[in-house]
Amino acid sequence: MSESEEKKEINKALDGEMSEHETKLFRRKLKEDPKMNNEYQQLRTIEEESIKAITPIEVSEDFSPRILGKIKKESKDSKKEE
């Protein structure tokens, strides 16, 4: 497997885009290839640390209903224009 293919496979795993079967095969590859496993673990750590570093945004309690109301209104308005 080329380095480019390995990177694509690692990204697919990190993004959660693998089927159950693909995940099993990927885990087997990681056990057999220490270099690939190291790269995967490093990227996984970076991803986890990045997620921890994100500060959640606080919004008002009525945020979702207001946004959904605006979306519905715009949807109705665009249908009237057709």
Side-chain angles (χ1 to χ4, degrees):
M1 177 179 287
S2 73
E3 192 171 323
S4 174
E5 290 171 328
E6 283 181 3
K7 288 180 187 233
K8 285 179 184 178
E9 192 169 19
I10 289 171
N11 286 327
K12 192 174 177 181
L14 290 170
D15 292 342
E17 297 175 347
M18 288 186 161
S19 69
E20 200 172 315
H21 178 71
E22 288 173 316
T23 301
K24 287 178 184 178
L25 293 175
F26 180 71
R27 287 184 181 150
R28 188 177 308 144
K29 286 179 191 175
L30 292 180
K31 287 179 183 177
E32 296 170 357
D33 186 342
K35 182 181 174 227
M36 185 176 180
N37 185 28
N38 185 45
E39 185 171 349
Y40 171 73
Q41 295 303 331
Q42 286 179 348
L43 289 171
R44 197 169 139 217
T45 300
I46 291 168
E47 180 180 62
E48 289 170 356
E49 293 300 318
S50 297
I51 290 170
K52 287 178 189 175
I54 295 172
T55 305
I57 299 172
E58 292 186 31
V59 295
S60 62
E61 288 184 28
D62 68 335
F63 178 78
S64 293
R66 281 188 302 121
I67 296 299
L68 290 174
K70 287 181 180 182
I71 291 170
K72 288 178 184 177
K73 183 181 181 307
E74 286 185 22
S75 177
K76 287 179 185 176
D77 290 347
S78 68
K79 287 181 182 178
K80 286 179 186 178
E81 292 176 4
E82 292 175 2

